[in-house]
Amino acid sequence: MSIAILKQGLSQSVDNFSKSDQVHNKFAKPTKLMKTLALIERKFDDMENAQPIEEKIVNSILKLEEHGKDYLTKRDWKNLAWSLSKKLLSYEDKILFTFIGGQLIEQFSKMEPESLKFVYFPLLYGYFAVEQDEINKRPNNWIQLRNILSSNRSTLFQATLKPKKWLTTLTDHPEVLSLDPSKRFIRDFLQNSDDSRVSNQLESLSIAPNSWFWDSLINSSIKSVKTMKEEDYFKVIPRFLLLLERNPIYTTTILTALLERYASTSKRAVVHENLKNVCLKQWGNPQYDSSAGWRNVGSDTRKMVVQWFVRADLETFFTVFSGGADTRRFNYWMRFLKQVTLSEIFLNNQVMLYPTAQQAEFKKNNLGRFKKISGKSNAANAFMIKIGGFYIVEFSEMNNATYFYRQIPYSSFQEKTHKVDITSLKSTSRAEFYLSHQSAWENSFDRRLKSLGIFPD
């Protein structure tokens, strides 16, 4: 007697004794017995779907090769179904992608539904237990396996007296056996930072962590960035950055999709600090041609991020490193923001050794993007921007002039050591010219820049 029939009989007896003409018997519902039966049922299901040891699988394969399919038992066929997900010692690939795997798939495709139900779960497990790279190399057997599972799913469900949880899940989510298996799960996946909802929905299918399915889900989610509404896109940026942190293999794909989408939004001029910092950590400074990662995005997108760094540098310099907010100089240089192709900050000894909380935060988020000023212990902090053919150096203290250089003012050695002597930044002899900040200095700066062909944005 099967467990399903036993449970059906027990339920029928409970129903009979619950009728009005039997109430006087005062039989209580056998709650404890029902719980015990449910426990036995779960254990039976676990045993039924337990993977056989490798030795049994190998023996069934040898039996097939030596005696043919007519000598195989029901247990042998189940072992062979499990074999598809295995990489045995005598085979270079998982059985599913070998010649014998093709033969097995052909035999399973010819099975009657009554026989197929005994091997359906191990076949389903094999369908999920392979990686995308394996499928890309030899997709035919895997596609045929999907067709077998898809075409027999409904028949199996209808013929099963009490469907197992995995079969119910498969019936509720038939798209996992379709050409677009992850479409339905994308929204849940993006809205749950711990991936719990999708994992819970599919738990009974026993999908391996390195399965092609998760690749499909992540890549489809990334592609969805292009078509989602702008407000939805901004909401999922943190989710993707967390996904990147947990799955570094998708770094390039995720960053490329996020940045290209950001460049097409109405808020492209608004700095996204977290995205900016992750880009710097993963791809380096977008202002340098040596940062190869930035070749993954278009020039316009890269220009957007450069402007993020320039804006952040200017804001930080004139509010955090200049001893007080210098709004006049900040507002002046912001008028040329779109033309700035390089920005750098140079920090004095005081900031390097004893930074304020804001200064320390900037240093932490901009490792490799600032240099130390040497040569004078009380030197002012400085910043440099490049506009057109000029490198323009400003200092945090107002009693310093602004220096304009035709070439980058420090040497390649100073570039490597990230330490620049103050005399390299403040050199009247090597500078093309310099301008002082006196009275209405903005007008004199404008006239000189216009003579060089440099105009505000």
Side-chain angles (χ1 to χ4, degrees):
M1 178 183 292
S2 71
I3 289 181
I5 295 175
L6 176 61
K7 192 170 184 178
Q8 185 182 32
L10 182 57
S11 297
Q12 184 63 51
S13 298
V14 170
D15 290 340
N16 289 338
F17 283 111
S18 298
K19 294 176 182 177
S20 57
D21 59 344
Q22 298 288 344
V23 171
H24 65 276
N25 291 317
K26 298 182 180 179
F27 279 106
K29 258 192 174 185
T31 306
K32 191 172 182 179
L33 182 58
M34 295 293 287
K35 286 183 178 179
T36 302
L37 185 61
L39 180 62
I40 295 173
E41 188 176 33
R42 282 198 299 272
K43 289 184 177 180
F44 183 80
D45 286 345
D46 292 340
M47 291 175 59
E48 185 182 28
N49 292 326
Q51 295 190 45
I53 60 174
E54 189 172 299
E55 182 182 0
K56 292 184 177 181
I57 292 176
V58 171
N59 288 338
S60 293
I61 292 176
L62 292 175
K63 191 174 180 180
L64 173 64
E65 292 176 339
E66 293 175 6
H67 304 290
K69 62 184 180 64
D70 293 335
Y71 289 85
L72 298 179
T73 64
K74 186 185 296 184
R75 176 56 59 183
D76 286 323
W77 281 114
K78 198 163 192 176
N79 290 341
L80 292 172
W82 280 112
S83 77
L84 297 177
S85 61
K86 304 296 181 182
K87 186 176 183 297
L88 304 178
L89 288 177
S90 55
Y91 296 91
E92 293 183 1
D93 299 297
K94 287 178 181 172
I95 298 296
L96 176 60
F97 302 106
T98 63
F99 175 74
I100 191 172
Q103 291 181 313
L104 289 173
I105 291 296
E106 184 178 354
Q107 293 301 321
F108 289 130
S109 68
K110 296 176 181 178
M111 275 189 176
E112 295 296 326
E114 184 63 27
S115 300
L116 190 64
K117 70 179 183 180
F118 293 104
V119 298
Y120 193 96
F121 183 81
L123 291 179
L124 182 67
Y125 181 87
Y127 169 70
F128 285 117
V130 296
E131 299 178 32
Q132 189 61 53
D133 287 344
E134 295 174 303
I135 297 172
N136 293 341
K137 285 191 283 187
R138 295 175 182 169
N140 291 342
N141 289 357
W142 181 81
I143 292 173
Q144 291 180 47
L145 175 58
R146 181 182 64 200
N147 293 338
I148 294 172
L149 294 168
S150 179
S151 59
N152 288 279
R153 175 192 55 78
S154 181
T155 303
L156 178 62
F157 182 79
Q158 294 172 9
T160 305
L161 185 63
K162 187 180 183 302
K164 303 294 189 292
K165 187 177 180 181
W166 61 264
L167 183 53
T168 302
T169 300
L170 198 60
T171 302
D172 292 339
H173 302 281
E175 65 277 1
V176 298
L177 298 176
S178 71
L179 296 175
D180 193 2
S182 54
K183 182 178 180 179
R184 182 174 168 184
F185 302 99
I186 290 176
R187 180 169 291 276
D188 286 345
F189 179 73
L190 292 180
Q191 291 179 346
N192 291 272
S193 59
D194 60 356
D195 304 340
S196 60
R197 186 164 179 178
V198 175
S199 297
N200 290 340
Q201 286 177 300
L202 302 174
E203 181 182 9
S204 63
L205 300 183
S206 301
I207 302 177
N210 60 342
S211 170
W212 61 266
F213 177 82
W214 303 117
D215 266 351
S216 173
L217 179 60
I218 293 175
N219 285 319
S220 296
S221 298
I222 295 171
K223 289 178 182 177
S224 72
V225 167
K226 294 181 180 180
T227 56
M228 65 176 58
K229 295 179 181 178
E230 192 169 296
E231 59 187 64
D232 293 332
Y233 161 71
F234 286 114
K235 290 177 183 177
V236 300
I237 290 178
R239 171 69 174 120
F240 275 112
L241 294 181
L242 180 61
L243 185 64
L244 179 152
E245 183 181 334
R246 293 177 176 175
N247 302 272
I249 192 173
Y250 298 105
T251 294
T252 298
T253 310
I254 291 175
L255 282 185
T256 301
L258 290 180
L259 290 172
E260 294 288 12
R261 182 73 174 91
Y262 206 109
S264 68
T265 68
S266 60
K267 297 182 180 180
R268 61 171 287 151
V270 179
V271 181
H272 193 291
E273 280 297 325
N274 287 342
L275 182 55
K276 177 173 74 74
N277 293 338
V278 171
C279 288
L280 177 63
K281 181 180 178 181
Q282 297 296 334
W283 286 355
N285 195 332
Q287 300 169 337
Y288 299 145
D289 292 335
S290 58
S291 301
W294 291 99
R295 297 169 191 165
N296 293 294
V297 298
S299 58
D300 181 65
T301 300
R302 182 172 182 171
K303 184 178 180 181
M304 173 192 73
V305 184
V306 169
Q307 290 171 7
W308 285 359
F309 281 99
V310 173
R311 178 185 290 272
D313 286 350
L314 289 173
E315 288 177 347
T316 302
F317 184 79
F318 289 118
T319 59
V320 177
F321 293 113
S322 65
D326 188 347
T327 56
R328 283 181 67 183
R329 283 194 291 169
F330 172 73
N331 291 333
Y332 183 82
W333 291 117
M334 282 298 292
R335 295 159 64 223
F336 301 89
L337 178 65
K338 293 181 180 178
Q339 300 171 65
V340 179
T341 57
L342 175 69
S343 66
E344 283 190 345
I345 287 182
F346 306 86
L347 304 178
N348 62 21
N349 197 54
Q350 174 71 24
V351 173
M352 293 299 293
L353 296 178
Y354 310 105
T356 65
Q358 287 180 299
Q359 291 169 349
E361 183 69 14
F362 175 85
K363 289 169 63 179
K364 185 180 83 171
N365 292 332
N366 289 272
L367 292 176
R369 290 197 63 250
F370 59 86
K371 294 178 174 62
K372 179 183 177 182
I373 292 179
S374 62
K376 187 178 180 182
S377 61
N378 62 341
N381 297 309
F383 90 87
M384 180 179 72
I385 54 176
K386 184 182 181 184
I387 301 177
F390 288 89
Y391 295 89
I392 305 168
V393 179
E394 280 268 25
F395 295 89
S396 56
E397 296 174 358
M398 283 296 291
N399 59 351
N400 288 281
T402 301
Y403 292 78
F404 292 74
Y405 297 90
R406 282 286 188 182
Q407 295 180 332
I408 199 162
Y410 52 82
S411 67
S412 58
F413 174 75
Q414 291 174 320
E415 169 69 33
K416 291 179 182 177
T417 59
H418 289 270
K419 187 182 294 185
V420 177
D421 194 281
I422 185 65
T423 57
S424 297
L425 301 175
K426 188 186 294 188
S427 173
T428 55
S429 61
R430 287 188 295 106
E432 188 76 10
F433 61 92
Y434 55 94
L435 301 173
S436 61
H437 303 88
Q438 295 179 353
S439 60
W441 59 266
E442 291 93 338
N443 293 332
S444 62
F445 272 52
D446 276 350
R447 284 193 297 270
R448 193 60 186 270
L449 290 175
K450 286 177 181 178
S451 70
L452 302 173
I454 301 174
F455 299 86
D457 299 334

